[in-house]
């Protein structure tokens, strides 16, 4: 668990360095998605007994994970379109 938390902090630090280095409108998506990932991570670290016999912290973590992954993917797609628009032009795609 400590190794995964350390990797998560390192991953966030690397992307935070990139986002703070270039101010793009889609960086807000990164800040929001990453903040929510840390909040959802608290569900894994601070466990609580099941509510109504079924809904525990681990179940809520799994419910949040797909939505947070989609939000981070949206940031990555937007960043890729802004970072490399010449590569997109030949493929009939437009940058954001």
């Amino acid at each position: 668990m400590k190794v995964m938390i350390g990797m998560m902090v390192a991953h966030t630090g690397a992307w935070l360095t990139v986002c703070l280095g270039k101010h793009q409108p889609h960086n807000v998506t990164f800040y929001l998605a990453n903040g929510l990932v840390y909040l959802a991570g608290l569900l894994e670290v601070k466990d609580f007994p099941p509510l109504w016999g079924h809904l525990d912290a681990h179940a809520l973590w799994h419910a949040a994970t797909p939505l947070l992954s989609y939000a981070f993917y949206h940031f990555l797609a937007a960043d890729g379109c802004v970072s490399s628009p010449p590569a997109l032009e030949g493929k009939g795609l437009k940058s954001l």
Side-chain angles (χ1 to χ4, degrees):
M1 177 79 71
K2 291 179 183 178
V3 172
M4 290 305 298
I5 291 172
M7 290 175 64
M8 188 170 146
V9 170
H11 180 262
T12 301
W15 272 108
L16 194 58
T17 302
V18 171
C19 287
L20 292 175
K22 59 178 187 173
H23 301 286
Q24 300 289 339
H26 62 270
N27 287 356
V28 174
T29 307
F30 167 77
Y31 301 133
L32 181 65
N34 230 356
L36 292 174
V37 164
Y38 276 93
L39 286 176
L42 288 176
L43 293 171
E44 281 290 305
V45 176
K46 303 290 184 187
D47 200 10
F48 56 83
L51 303 171
W52 306 290
H54 298 290
L55 194 61
D56 65 347
H58 196 77
L60 290 175
W61 160 256
H62 281 289
T65 303
L67 301 172
L68 297 173
S69 298
Y70 176 77
F72 190 70
Y73 174 78
H74 182 71
F75 160 74
L76 290 176
D79 191 59
C81 288
V82 170
S83 297
S84 58
L88 300 175
E89 290 174 5
K91 296 184 171 56
L93 302 171
K94 297 179 184 177
S95 62
L96 297 177

